[in-house]
Amino acid sequence: MDKSEQSSITDPSFIEQVQRLHKLTLYGRWLFVAFLWLTIAPVSLWGLRTEISLWKQYFTWVAVRYGLFYHPLSTFGLAFCIGMTAAVLVWQSRNILFGIPQPEKQRLEKQVYQIRQQGPSHPLWKWVCQ
């Protein structure tokens, strides 16, 4: 970091901008998860519709296992949705419980500095710097 970057880190508006960028990152991750659940999950569940009707009549774990085994694309789609949701939950929980890790904080600071350097032509300028 050069002197201008270090002096801006102690600036209260810079710290607020870093927090705004972190919040934008958080919203972006949840929007991506919502997008997955609104697009991939219904298609995956549609692929399992015959098995789901069977599970409603005679639910056994073996039926679930075979239903998922013989529909790998549907299984992958649902696993991807569940995995991304779990990953975002763990990431957000870690940040709430332990704070943002130092490398991630430095990445956010560097990104805010780049947004400030580019000015209003940067796509995130109006959400981070104003």
Side-chain angles (χ1 to χ4, degrees), residues 8-72:
S8 63
I9 291 175
T10 59
D11 181 22
S13 66
F14 182 78
I15 295 169
E16 183 181 326
Q17 290 168 353
V18 170
Q19 291 171 347
R20 275 195 225 134
L21 182 61
H22 179 262
K23 193 179 285 190
L24 277 173
T25 305
L26 175 68
Y27 291 156
R29 288 180 185 215
W30 280 116
L31 279 173
F32 179 67
V33 167
F35 173 77
L36 290 177
W37 280 104
L38 291 173
T39 56
I40 294 176
V43 173
S44 298
L45 290 172
W46 184 258
L48 290 169
R49 67 188 178 280
T50 55
E51 275 67 27
I52 291 173
S53 66
L54 178 67
W55 298 341
K56 286 169 133 179
Q57 292 175 356
Y58 305 102
F59 181 81
T60 63
W61 288 110
V62 174
V64 173
R65 179 177 170 214
Y66 280 106
L68 294 176
F69 181 78
Y70 286 109
H71 294 86

Short mmCIF file of all heavy atoms in Angstrom, two decimals, residues 8-72:
data_model
loop_
_atom_site.label_atom_id
_atom_site.label_comp_id
_atom_site.label_asym_id
_atom_site.label_seq_id
_atom_site.Cartn_x
_atom_site.Cartn_y
_atom_site.Cartn_z
N SER A 8 -6.21 6.79 3.65
CA SER A 8 -7.65 6.66 3.42
C SER A 8 -8.26 5.57 4.30
O SER A 8 -9.46 5.60 4.56
CB SER A 8 -7.94 6.38 1.95
OG SER A 8 -7.38 5.16 1.57
N ILE A 9 -7.45 4.62 4.78
CA ILE A 9 -7.97 3.55 5.62
C ILE A 9 -8.46 4.11 6.95
O ILE A 9 -9.43 3.64 7.52
CB ILE A 9 -6.91 2.45 5.82
CG1 ILE A 9 -6.71 1.71 4.51
CG2 ILE A 9 -7.32 1.47 6.90
CD1 ILE A 9 -5.62 0.68 4.53
N THR A 10 -7.82 5.14 7.47
CA THR A 10 -8.25 5.73 8.73
C THR A 10 -9.40 6.70 8.54
O THR A 10 -10.00 7.14 9.52
CB THR A 10 -7.07 6.46 9.41
OG1 THR A 10 -6.59 7.47 8.52
CG2 THR A 10 -5.97 5.48 9.75
N ASP A 11 -9.73 7.05 7.32
CA ASP A 11 -10.83 7.95 7.01
C ASP A 11 -12.16 7.25 7.34
O ASP A 11 -12.40 6.15 6.86
CB ASP A 11 -10.76 8.34 5.53
CG ASP A 11 -11.86 9.28 5.11
OD1 ASP A 11 -12.41 9.96 5.99
OD2 ASP A 11 -12.15 9.35 3.91
N PRO A 12 -13.03 7.88 8.16
CA PRO A 12 -14.30 7.23 8.52
C PRO A 12 -15.20 6.94 7.31
O PRO A 12 -15.90 5.94 7.28
CB PRO A 12 -14.98 8.21 9.46
CG PRO A 12 -13.98 9.23 9.82
CD PRO A 12 -12.85 9.14 8.84
N SER A 13 -15.16 7.81 6.31
CA SER A 13 -16.00 7.57 5.13
C SER A 13 -15.48 6.35 4.36
O SER A 13 -16.28 5.60 3.78
CB SER A 13 -16.03 8.80 4.23
OG SER A 13 -14.76 9.05 3.67
N PHE A 14 -14.17 6.14 4.37
CA PHE A 14 -13.59 4.97 3.69
C PHE A 14 -14.05 3.69 4.37
O PHE A 14 -14.43 2.72 3.71
CB PHE A 14 -12.07 5.06 3.68
CG PHE A 14 -11.39 3.93 2.96
CD1 PHE A 14 -11.34 3.90 1.58
CD2 PHE A 14 -10.83 2.88 3.67
CE1 PHE A 14 -10.72 2.86 0.91
CE2 PHE A 14 -10.22 1.84 3.02
CZ PHE A 14 -10.16 1.83 1.64
N ILE A 15 -14.04 3.69 5.70
CA ILE A 15 -14.48 2.51 6.46
C ILE A 15 -15.95 2.23 6.18
O ILE A 15 -16.36 1.08 6.00
CB ILE A 15 -14.21 2.72 7.97
CG1 ILE A 15 -12.70 2.81 8.21
CG2 ILE A 15 -14.83 1.61 8.79
CD1 ILE A 15 -12.31 3.28 9.58
N GLU A 16 -16.75 3.28 6.11
CA GLU A 16 -18.17 3.12 5.80
C GLU A 16 -18.35 2.56 4.38
O GLU A 16 -19.22 1.72 4.15
CB GLU A 16 -18.87 4.47 5.92
CG GLU A 16 -20.37 4.41 5.70
CD GLU A 16 -20.99 5.79 5.82
OE1 GLU A 16 -20.51 6.60 6.63
OE2 GLU A 16 -21.97 6.03 5.09
N GLN A 17 -17.52 3.01 3.45
CA GLN A 17 -17.60 2.51 2.08
C GLN A 17 -17.21 1.04 2.01
O GLN A 17 -17.80 0.26 1.25
CB GLN A 17 -16.73 3.36 1.16
CG GLN A 17 -17.27 4.74 0.96
CD GLN A 17 -16.28 5.67 0.28
OE1 GLN A 17 -15.12 5.33 0.07
NE2 GLN A 17 -16.75 6.87 -0.04
N VAL A 18 -16.23 0.64 2.80
CA VAL A 18 -15.85 -0.78 2.85
C VAL A 18 -17.01 -1.61 3.38
O VAL A 18 -17.32 -2.69 2.86
CB VAL A 18 -14.57 -0.98 3.70
CG1 VAL A 18 -14.31 -2.45 3.95
CG2 VAL A 18 -13.38 -0.34 3.02
N GLN A 19 -17.69 -1.10 4.40
CA GLN A 19 -18.84 -1.81 4.95
C GLN A 19 -19.98 -1.91 3.93
O GLN A 19 -20.65 -2.92 3.82
CB GLN A 19 -19.33 -1.14 6.23
CG GLN A 19 -18.37 -1.30 7.38
CD GLN A 19 -18.74 -0.45 8.58
OE1 GLN A 19 -19.59 0.44 8.50
NE2 GLN A 19 -18.10 -0.72 9.71
N ARG A 20 -20.18 -0.83 3.16
CA ARG A 20 -21.21 -0.86 2.11
C ARG A 20 -20.86 -1.89 1.04
O ARG A 20 -21.74 -2.60 0.56
CB ARG A 20 -21.35 0.52 1.47
CG ARG A 20 -22.27 1.42 2.22
CD ARG A 20 -22.65 2.61 1.34
NE ARG A 20 -22.56 3.80 2.17
CZ ARG A 20 -21.99 4.94 1.83
NH1 ARG A 20 -21.47 5.08 0.63
NH2 ARG A 20 -21.95 5.95 2.65
N LEU A 21 -19.59 -1.97 0.67
CA LEU A 21 -19.17 -2.95 -0.34
C LEU A 21 -19.37 -4.36 0.19
O LEU A 21 -19.80 -5.26 -0.55
CB LEU A 21 -17.72 -2.71 -0.74
CG LEU A 21 -17.19 -3.64 -1.83
CD1 LEU A 21 -18.00 -3.48 -3.12
CD2 LEU A 21 -15.72 -3.37 -2.09
N HIS A 22 -19.07 -4.57 1.46
CA HIS A 22 -19.29 -5.89 2.07
C HIS A 22 -20.78 -6.24 2.05
O HIS A 22 -21.16 -7.37 1.73
CB HIS A 22 -18.75 -5.93 3.50
CG HIS A 22 -18.96 -7.25 4.16
ND1 HIS A 22 -20.01 -7.48 5.02
CD2 HIS A 22 -18.29 -8.43 4.06
CE1 HIS A 22 -19.96 -8.74 5.43
NE2 HIS A 22 -18.93 -9.32 4.87
N LYS A 23 -21.61 -5.27 2.37
CA LYS A 23 -23.05 -5.50 2.35
C LYS A 23 -23.53 -5.81 0.93
O LYS A 23 -24.37 -6.68 0.73
CB LYS A 23 -23.78 -4.27 2.91
CG LYS A 23 -25.24 -4.52 3.21
CD LYS A 23 -25.93 -3.29 3.77
CE LYS A 23 -25.53 -3.09 5.21
NZ LYS A 23 -26.33 -2.06 5.88
N LEU A 24 -22.98 -5.11 -0.06
CA LEU A 24 -23.32 -5.40 -1.45
C LEU A 24 -22.91 -6.82 -1.84
O LEU A 24 -23.63 -7.51 -2.56
CB LEU A 24 -22.65 -4.39 -2.38
CG LEU A 24 -23.35 -3.07 -2.57
CD1 LEU A 24 -22.48 -2.12 -3.39
CD2 LEU A 24 -24.69 -3.26 -3.23
N THR A 25 -21.74 -7.23 -1.36
CA THR A 25 -21.27 -8.60 -1.63
C THR A 25 -22.24 -9.61 -1.01
O THR A 25 -22.59 -10.61 -1.65
CB THR A 25 -19.86 -8.79 -1.05
OG1 THR A 25 -19.00 -7.80 -1.59
CG2 THR A 25 -19.31 -10.17 -1.38
N LEU A 26 -22.66 -9.32 0.20
CA LEU A 26 -23.61 -10.19 0.89
C LEU A 26 -24.93 -10.27 0.12
O LEU A 26 -25.45 -11.37 -0.13
CB LEU A 26 -23.86 -9.68 2.31
CG LEU A 26 -24.89 -10.40 3.14
CD1 LEU A 26 -24.41 -11.79 3.47
CD2 LEU A 26 -25.18 -9.61 4.39
N TYR A 27 -25.47 -9.14 -0.28
CA TYR A 27 -26.72 -9.13 -1.05
C TYR A 27 -26.55 -9.86 -2.37
O TYR A 27 -27.45 -10.57 -2.82
CB TYR A 27 -27.19 -7.71 -1.29
CG TYR A 27 -27.67 -6.98 -0.05
CD1 TYR A 27 -27.66 -5.60 -0.01
CD2 TYR A 27 -28.13 -7.66 1.07
CE1 TYR A 27 -28.08 -4.91 1.12
CE2 TYR A 27 -28.55 -6.99 2.19
CZ TYR A 27 -28.54 -5.62 2.21
OH TYR A 27 -28.96 -4.95 3.33
N GLY A 28 -25.40 -9.67 -3.01
CA GLY A 28 -25.15 -10.36 -4.28
C GLY A 28 -25.14 -11.86 -4.13
O GLY A 28 -25.67 -12.59 -4.97
N ARG A 29 -24.53 -12.34 -3.05
CA ARG A 29 -24.50 -13.78 -2.82
C ARG A 29 -25.89 -14.34 -2.58
O ARG A 29 -26.26 -15.39 -3.09
CB ARG A 29 -23.58 -14.11 -1.64
CG ARG A 29 -22.13 -13.92 -1.99
CD ARG A 29 -21.22 -14.25 -0.82
NE ARG A 29 -19.85 -13.93 -1.17
CZ ARG A 29 -18.82 -14.62 -0.76
NH1 ARG A 29 -18.98 -15.66 0.03
NH2 ARG A 29 -17.60 -14.28 -1.12
N TRP A 30 -26.70 -13.61 -1.77
CA TRP A 30 -28.06 -14.09 -1.52
C TRP A 30 -28.93 -13.99 -2.76
O TRP A 30 -29.80 -14.84 -2.98
CB TRP A 30 -28.68 -13.34 -0.34
CG TRP A 30 -28.22 -13.89 0.97
CD1 TRP A 30 -27.49 -13.25 1.92
CD2 TRP A 30 -28.42 -15.22 1.48
NE1 TRP A 30 -27.22 -14.09 2.97
CE2 TRP A 30 -27.79 -15.30 2.73
CE3 TRP A 30 -29.07 -16.33 0.98
CZ2 TRP A 30 -27.80 -16.47 3.49
CZ3 TRP A 30 -29.08 -17.50 1.75
CH2 TRP A 30 -28.46 -17.55 2.99
N LEU A 31 -28.70 -12.99 -3.59
CA LEU A 31 -29.44 -12.90 -4.85
C LEU A 31 -29.10 -14.07 -5.77
O LEU A 31 -29.97 -14.62 -6.45
CB LEU A 31 -29.16 -11.58 -5.56
CG LEU A 31 -29.96 -10.38 -5.06
CD1 LEU A 31 -29.46 -9.10 -5.72
CD2 LEU A 31 -31.43 -10.58 -5.31
N PHE A 32 -27.82 -14.45 -5.79
CA PHE A 32 -27.41 -15.60 -6.59
C PHE A 32 -28.08 -16.88 -6.08
O PHE A 32 -28.56 -17.70 -6.87
CB PHE A 32 -25.89 -15.74 -6.57
CG PHE A 32 -25.38 -16.90 -7.36
CD1 PHE A 32 -25.49 -16.94 -8.73
CD2 PHE A 32 -24.78 -17.98 -6.71
CE1 PHE A 32 -25.03 -18.02 -9.47
CE2 PHE A 32 -24.31 -19.06 -7.42
CZ PHE A 32 -24.43 -19.08 -8.81
N VAL A 33 -28.13 -17.05 -4.76
CA VAL A 33 -28.78 -18.23 -4.18
C VAL A 33 -30.28 -18.23 -4.52
O VAL A 33 -30.84 -19.26 -4.90
CB VAL A 33 -28.54 -18.30 -2.66
CG1 VAL A 33 -29.45 -19.31 -1.99
CG2 VAL A 33 -27.08 -18.63 -2.37
N ALA A 34 -30.91 -17.07 -4.41
CA ALA A 34 -32.34 -16.98 -4.75
C ALA A 34 -32.55 -17.31 -6.23
O ALA A 34 -33.51 -18.01 -6.59
CB ALA A 34 -32.87 -15.59 -4.43
N PHE A 35 -31.66 -16.81 -7.08
CA PHE A 35 -31.74 -17.12 -8.51
C PHE A 35 -31.65 -18.62 -8.75
O PHE A 35 -32.39 -19.18 -9.57
CB PHE A 35 -30.64 -16.37 -9.27
CG PHE A 35 -30.54 -16.73 -10.71
CD1 PHE A 35 -31.44 -16.23 -11.64
CD2 PHE A 35 -29.53 -17.59 -11.16
CE1 PHE A 35 -31.35 -16.58 -12.98
CE2 PHE A 35 -29.43 -17.94 -12.49
CZ PHE A 35 -30.35 -17.43 -13.40
N LEU A 36 -30.73 -19.28 -8.04
CA LEU A 36 -30.60 -20.74 -8.19
C LEU A 36 -31.88 -21.45 -7.78
O LEU A 36 -32.34 -22.37 -8.47
CB LEU A 36 -29.43 -21.25 -7.34
CG LEU A 36 -28.03 -20.89 -7.80
CD1 LEU A 36 -27.01 -21.42 -6.80
CD2 LEU A 36 -27.75 -21.43 -9.18
N TRP A 37 -32.46 -21.03 -6.65
CA TRP A 37 -33.67 -21.69 -6.16
C TRP A 37 -34.87 -21.41 -7.05
O TRP A 37 -35.81 -22.19 -7.09
CB TRP A 37 -33.96 -21.29 -4.72
CG TRP A 37 -33.12 -22.06 -3.76
CD1 TRP A 37 -32.04 -21.61 -3.07
CD2 TRP A 37 -33.27 -23.43 -3.38
NE1 TRP A 37 -31.51 -22.61 -2.31
CE2 TRP A 37 -32.25 -23.74 -2.47
CE3 TRP A 37 -34.17 -24.43 -3.73
CZ2 TRP A 37 -32.11 -25.01 -1.91
CZ3 TRP A 37 -34.03 -25.68 -3.16
CH2 TRP A 37 -33.01 -25.96 -2.26
N LEU A 38 -34.85 -20.30 -7.77
CA LEU A 38 -35.97 -19.97 -8.65
C LEU A 38 -35.82 -20.55 -10.06
O LEU A 38 -36.79 -20.59 -10.81
CB LEU A 38 -36.14 -18.45 -8.74
CG LEU A 38 -36.63 -17.78 -7.45
CD1 LEU A 38 -36.60 -16.27 -7.61
CD2 LEU A 38 -38.02 -18.27 -7.09
N THR A 39 -34.61 -20.97 -10.43
CA THR A 39 -34.40 -21.49 -11.77
C THR A 39 -34.03 -22.97 -11.77
O THR A 39 -34.72 -23.77 -12.40
CB THR A 39 -33.29 -20.69 -12.50
OG1 THR A 39 -32.10 -20.72 -11.73
CG2 THR A 39 -33.72 -19.26 -12.77
N ILE A 40 -32.98 -23.33 -11.09
CA ILE A 40 -32.48 -24.71 -11.15
C ILE A 40 -33.32 -25.67 -10.30
O ILE A 40 -33.61 -26.79 -10.74
CB ILE A 40 -31.00 -24.76 -10.72
CG1 ILE A 40 -30.16 -24.01 -11.76
CG2 ILE A 40 -30.51 -26.20 -10.57
CD1 ILE A 40 -28.70 -23.91 -11.41
N ALA A 41 -33.72 -25.24 -9.11
CA ALA A 41 -34.47 -26.14 -8.22
C ALA A 41 -35.80 -26.59 -8.83
O ALA A 41 -36.11 -27.80 -8.78
CB ALA A 41 -34.68 -25.49 -6.87
N PRO A 42 -36.61 -25.70 -9.42
CA PRO A 42 -37.87 -26.20 -10.01
C PRO A 42 -37.65 -27.19 -11.15
O PRO A 42 -38.38 -28.18 -11.27
CB PRO A 42 -38.55 -24.93 -10.53
CG PRO A 42 -37.97 -23.82 -9.75
CD PRO A 42 -36.57 -24.24 -9.44
N VAL A 43 -36.63 -26.94 -11.97
CA VAL A 43 -36.34 -27.86 -13.07
C VAL A 43 -35.89 -29.21 -12.51
O VAL A 43 -36.30 -30.27 -13.00
CB VAL A 43 -35.26 -27.27 -14.00
CG1 VAL A 43 -34.81 -28.26 -15.05
CG2 VAL A 43 -35.77 -26.00 -14.66
N SER A 44 -35.09 -29.18 -11.47
CA SER A 44 -34.62 -30.43 -10.84
C SER A 44 -35.79 -31.18 -10.20
O SER A 44 -35.88 -32.41 -10.32
CB SER A 44 -33.56 -30.12 -9.79
OG SER A 44 -32.44 -29.52 -10.38
N LEU A 45 -36.65 -30.46 -9.52
CA LEU A 45 -37.81 -31.11 -8.90
C LEU A 45 -38.77 -31.66 -9.96
O LEU A 45 -39.38 -32.71 -9.76
CB LEU A 45 -38.53 -30.14 -7.97
CG LEU A 45 -37.78 -29.78 -6.69
CD1 LEU A 45 -38.49 -28.67 -5.95
CD2 LEU A 45 -37.60 -31.00 -5.82
N TRP A 46 -38.88 -30.95 -11.09
CA TRP A 46 -39.73 -31.45 -12.17
C TRP A 46 -39.19 -32.77 -12.71
O TRP A 46 -39.95 -33.66 -13.06
CB TRP A 46 -39.82 -30.41 -13.29
CG TRP A 46 -40.74 -30.81 -14.38
CD1 TRP A 46 -40.40 -31.30 -15.60
CD2 TRP A 46 -42.17 -30.78 -14.34
NE1 TRP A 46 -41.52 -31.58 -16.33
CE2 TRP A 46 -42.62 -31.27 -15.58
CE3 TRP A 46 -43.10 -30.41 -13.38
CZ2 TRP A 46 -43.98 -31.38 -15.89
CZ3 TRP A 46 -44.44 -30.51 -13.70
CH2 TRP A 46 -44.86 -30.99 -14.94
N GLY A 47 -37.87 -32.89 -12.76
CA GLY A 47 -37.27 -34.14 -13.21
C GLY A 47 -37.51 -35.29 -12.25
O GLY A 47 -37.45 -36.46 -12.64
N LEU A 48 -37.79 -34.97 -11.01
CA LEU A 48 -38.04 -36.00 -10.00
C LEU A 48 -39.53 -36.18 -9.71
O LEU A 48 -39.89 -36.82 -8.73
CB LEU A 48 -37.32 -35.63 -8.69
CG LEU A 48 -35.80 -35.70 -8.70
CD1 LEU A 48 -35.24 -35.06 -7.45
CD2 LEU A 48 -35.35 -37.14 -8.82
N ARG A 49 -40.42 -35.63 -10.54
CA ARG A 49 -41.84 -35.62 -10.22
C ARG A 49 -42.43 -37.02 -10.06
O ARG A 49 -43.27 -37.24 -9.19
CB ARG A 49 -42.62 -34.80 -11.24
CG ARG A 49 -42.66 -35.36 -12.62
CD ARG A 49 -43.29 -34.38 -13.61
NE ARG A 49 -43.30 -34.91 -14.95
CZ ARG A 49 -42.26 -34.91 -15.78
NH1 ARG A 49 -41.12 -34.41 -15.39
NH2 ARG A 49 -42.37 -35.42 -16.99
N THR A 50 -41.99 -37.99 -10.87
CA THR A 50 -42.54 -39.34 -10.73
C THR A 50 -42.07 -39.99 -9.42
O THR A 50 -42.85 -40.67 -8.75
CB THR A 50 -42.14 -40.23 -11.92
OG1 THR A 50 -40.72 -40.22 -12.07
CG2 THR A 50 -42.79 -39.73 -13.20
N GLU A 51 -40.82 -39.75 -9.08
CA GLU A 51 -40.30 -40.31 -7.82
C GLU A 51 -40.96 -39.63 -6.62
O GLU A 51 -41.24 -40.30 -5.62
CB GLU A 51 -38.78 -40.13 -7.74
CG GLU A 51 -37.99 -41.22 -8.42
CD GLU A 51 -38.16 -41.22 -9.93
OE1 GLU A 51 -38.45 -40.15 -10.49
OE2 GLU A 51 -38.04 -42.29 -10.53
N ILE A 52 -41.21 -38.34 -6.73
CA ILE A 52 -41.85 -37.63 -5.61
C ILE A 52 -43.25 -38.17 -5.37
O ILE A 52 -43.67 -38.35 -4.22
CB ILE A 52 -41.86 -36.10 -5.88
CG1 ILE A 52 -40.43 -35.57 -5.81
CG2 ILE A 52 -42.75 -35.38 -4.88
CD1 ILE A 52 -40.27 -34.12 -6.22
N SER A 53 -43.98 -38.47 -6.45
CA SER A 53 -45.32 -39.06 -6.27
C SER A 53 -45.21 -40.45 -5.63
O SER A 53 -46.05 -40.84 -4.81
CB SER A 53 -46.07 -39.13 -7.59
OG SER A 53 -45.45 -40.03 -8.48
N LEU A 54 -44.16 -41.19 -5.99
CA LEU A 54 -43.93 -42.50 -5.36
C LEU A 54 -43.57 -42.33 -3.89
O LEU A 54 -44.06 -43.07 -3.03
CB LEU A 54 -42.81 -43.25 -6.10
CG LEU A 54 -42.41 -44.61 -5.55
CD1 LEU A 54 -43.56 -45.61 -5.74
CD2 LEU A 54 -41.16 -45.12 -6.22
N TRP A 55 -42.75 -41.33 -3.58
CA TRP A 55 -42.36 -41.08 -2.19
C TRP A 55 -43.56 -40.69 -1.34
O TRP A 55 -43.61 -41.00 -0.15
CB TRP A 55 -41.30 -39.98 -2.11
CG TRP A 55 -40.02 -40.30 -2.81
CD1 TRP A 55 -39.55 -41.52 -3.19
CD2 TRP A 55 -39.04 -39.35 -3.24
NE1 TRP A 55 -38.34 -41.39 -3.82
CE2 TRP A 55 -38.00 -40.08 -3.86
CE3 TRP A 55 -38.91 -37.98 -3.16
CZ2 TRP A 55 -36.86 -39.47 -4.40
CZ3 TRP A 55 -37.80 -37.37 -3.69
CH2 TRP A 55 -36.78 -38.11 -4.30
N LYS A 56 -44.52 -40.00 -1.96
CA LYS A 56 -45.73 -39.63 -1.21
C LYS A 56 -46.54 -40.86 -0.81
O LYS A 56 -47.15 -40.90 0.26
CB LYS A 56 -46.60 -38.70 -2.05
CG LYS A 56 -46.07 -37.30 -2.18
CD LYS A 56 -46.88 -36.58 -3.23
CE LYS A 56 -47.31 -35.23 -2.80
NZ LYS A 56 -48.07 -34.53 -3.86
N GLN A 57 -46.54 -41.87 -1.67
CA GLN A 57 -47.30 -43.09 -1.37
C GLN A 57 -46.56 -44.01 -0.42
O GLN A 57 -47.12 -44.49 0.56
CB GLN A 57 -47.62 -43.84 -2.66
CG GLN A 57 -48.58 -43.10 -3.56
CD GLN A 57 -48.76 -43.82 -4.89
OE1 GLN A 57 -48.12 -44.83 -5.16
NE2 GLN A 57 -49.64 -43.28 -5.72
N TYR A 58 -45.31 -44.29 -0.74
CA TYR A 58 -44.51 -45.25 0.04
C TYR A 58 -43.14 -44.65 0.29
O TYR A 58 -42.20 -44.89 -0.45
CB TYR A 58 -44.33 -46.57 -0.72
CG TYR A 58 -45.62 -47.20 -1.14
CD1 TYR A 58 -46.06 -47.10 -2.45
CD2 TYR A 58 -46.40 -47.89 -0.22
CE1 TYR A 58 -47.24 -47.68 -2.85
CE2 TYR A 58 -47.59 -48.48 -0.61
CZ TYR A 58 -48.01 -48.36 -1.92
OH TYR A 58 -49.18 -48.93 -2.32
N PHE A 59 -43.03 -43.86 1.34
CA PHE A 59 -41.75 -43.20 1.61
C PHE A 59 -40.81 -44.16 2.32
O PHE A 59 -41.11 -44.65 3.43
CB PHE A 59 -41.93 -41.95 2.46
CG PHE A 59 -40.63 -41.26 2.71
CD1 PHE A 59 -40.09 -40.42 1.77
CD2 PHE A 59 -39.93 -41.47 3.90
CE1 PHE A 59 -38.88 -39.78 1.98
CE2 PHE A 59 -38.72 -40.84 4.12
CZ PHE A 59 -38.20 -39.99 3.17
N THR A 60 -39.69 -44.42 1.68
CA THR A 60 -38.59 -45.12 2.32
C THR A 60 -37.30 -44.44 1.87
O THR A 60 -37.25 -43.81 0.80
CB THR A 60 -38.52 -46.61 1.92
OG1 THR A 60 -38.28 -46.71 0.52
CG2 THR A 60 -39.79 -47.35 2.29
N TRP A 61 -36.28 -44.56 2.67
CA TRP A 61 -35.00 -43.95 2.31
C TRP A 61 -34.38 -44.64 1.10
O TRP A 61 -33.65 -44.02 0.34
CB TRP A 61 -34.05 -43.96 3.50
CG TRP A 61 -34.49 -42.96 4.54
CD1 TRP A 61 -35.01 -43.24 5.76
CD2 TRP A 61 -34.49 -41.54 4.40
NE1 TRP A 61 -35.33 -42.08 6.41
CE2 TRP A 61 -35.01 -41.01 5.60
CE3 TRP A 61 -34.10 -40.66 3.40
CZ2 TRP A 61 -35.15 -39.65 5.80
CZ3 TRP A 61 -34.24 -39.30 3.62
CH2 TRP A 61 -34.76 -38.81 4.80
N VAL A 62 -34.70 -45.90 0.92
CA VAL A 62 -34.20 -46.63 -0.25
C VAL A 62 -34.81 -46.04 -1.52
O VAL A 62 -34.13 -45.85 -2.53
CB VAL A 62 -34.49 -48.14 -0.13
CG1 VAL A 62 -34.11 -48.87 -1.39
CG2 VAL A 62 -33.75 -48.71 1.06
N ALA A 63 -36.10 -45.71 -1.46
CA ALA A 63 -36.76 -45.10 -2.63
C ALA A 63 -36.14 -43.73 -2.95
O ALA A 63 -35.93 -43.40 -4.12
CB ALA A 63 -38.26 -44.96 -2.37
N VAL A 64 -35.83 -42.98 -1.92
CA VAL A 64 -35.18 -41.68 -2.13
C VAL A 64 -33.80 -41.89 -2.74
O VAL A 64 -33.42 -41.21 -3.71
CB VAL A 64 -35.07 -40.90 -0.80
CG1 VAL A 64 -34.25 -39.63 -0.97
CG2 VAL A 64 -36.45 -40.57 -0.26
N ARG A 65 -33.07 -42.84 -2.22
CA ARG A 65 -31.72 -43.11 -2.72
C ARG A 65 -31.75 -43.50 -4.19
O ARG A 65 -30.99 -42.98 -5.01
CB ARG A 65 -31.08 -44.20 -1.88
CG ARG A 65 -29.70 -44.56 -2.34
CD ARG A 65 -29.08 -45.60 -1.43
NE ARG A 65 -27.87 -46.09 -2.04
CZ ARG A 65 -27.43 -47.32 -1.93
NH1 ARG A 65 -28.11 -48.19 -1.22
NH2 ARG A 65 -26.32 -47.70 -2.50
N TYR A 66 -32.61 -44.43 -4.55
CA TYR A 66 -32.68 -44.87 -5.94
C TYR A 66 -33.23 -43.78 -6.85
O TYR A 66 -32.81 -43.63 -7.99
CB TYR A 66 -33.49 -46.16 -6.08
CG TYR A 66 -32.68 -47.37 -5.72
CD1 TYR A 66 -32.89 -48.04 -4.52
CD2 TYR A 66 -31.69 -47.83 -6.57
CE1 TYR A 66 -32.14 -49.14 -4.18
CE2 TYR A 66 -30.93 -48.94 -6.24
CZ TYR A 66 -31.15 -49.58 -5.04
OH TYR A 66 -30.39 -50.67 -4.71
N GLY A 67 -34.19 -43.02 -6.36
CA GLY A 67 -34.74 -41.92 -7.15
C GLY A 67 -33.67 -40.89 -7.48
O GLY A 67 -33.57 -40.41 -8.62
N LEU A 68 -32.85 -40.56 -6.50
CA LEU A 68 -31.77 -39.60 -6.73
C LEU A 68 -30.65 -40.22 -7.58
O LEU A 68 -30.04 -39.54 -8.40
CB LEU A 68 -31.23 -39.09 -5.40
CG LEU A 68 -32.20 -38.24 -4.57
CD1 LEU A 68 -31.57 -37.88 -3.23
CD2 LEU A 68 -32.63 -37.00 -5.32
N PHE A 69 -30.40 -41.50 -7.37
CA PHE A 69 -29.33 -42.17 -8.11
C PHE A 69 -29.63 -42.24 -9.61
O PHE A 69 -28.75 -42.05 -10.44
CB PHE A 69 -29.09 -43.57 -7.55
CG PHE A 69 -28.00 -44.32 -8.24
CD1 PHE A 69 -26.67 -44.03 -7.96
CD2 PHE A 69 -28.28 -45.31 -9.17
CE1 PHE A 69 -25.64 -44.70 -8.60
CE2 PHE A 69 -27.26 -45.99 -9.82
CZ PHE A 69 -25.94 -45.68 -9.53
N TYR A 70 -30.88 -42.51 -9.96
CA TYR A 70 -31.24 -42.67 -11.36
C TYR A 70 -31.64 -41.37 -12.05
O TYR A 70 -32.03 -41.38 -13.22
CB TYR A 70 -32.35 -43.72 -11.51
CG TYR A 70 -31.82 -45.11 -11.31
CD1 TYR A 70 -32.14 -45.84 -10.18
CD2 TYR A 70 -30.95 -45.68 -12.24
CE1 TYR A 70 -31.63 -47.12 -9.97
CE2 TYR A 70 -30.43 -46.95 -12.04
CZ TYR A 70 -30.78 -47.66 -10.91
OH TYR A 70 -30.26 -48.92 -10.72
N HIS A 71 -31.53 -40.25 -11.36
CA HIS A 71 -31.76 -38.93 -11.96
C HIS A 71 -30.59 -38.02 -11.57
O HIS A 71 -30.73 -37.12 -10.74
CB HIS A 71 -33.09 -38.34 -11.46
CG HIS A 71 -34.27 -39.11 -11.92
ND1 HIS A 71 -34.76 -40.20 -11.25
CD2 HIS A 71 -35.05 -38.96 -13.03
CE1 HIS A 71 -35.79 -40.67 -11.88
NE2 HIS A 71 -36.00 -39.95 -12.98
N PRO A 72 -29.42 -38.26 -12.16
CA PRO A 72 -28.22 -37.53 -11.72
C PRO A 72 -28.27 -36.03 -11.98
O PRO A 72 -27.75 -35.26 -11.16
CB PRO A 72 -27.09 -38.19 -12.51
CG PRO A 72 -27.73 -38.87 -13.65
CD PRO A 72 -29.12 -39.23 -13.21
#
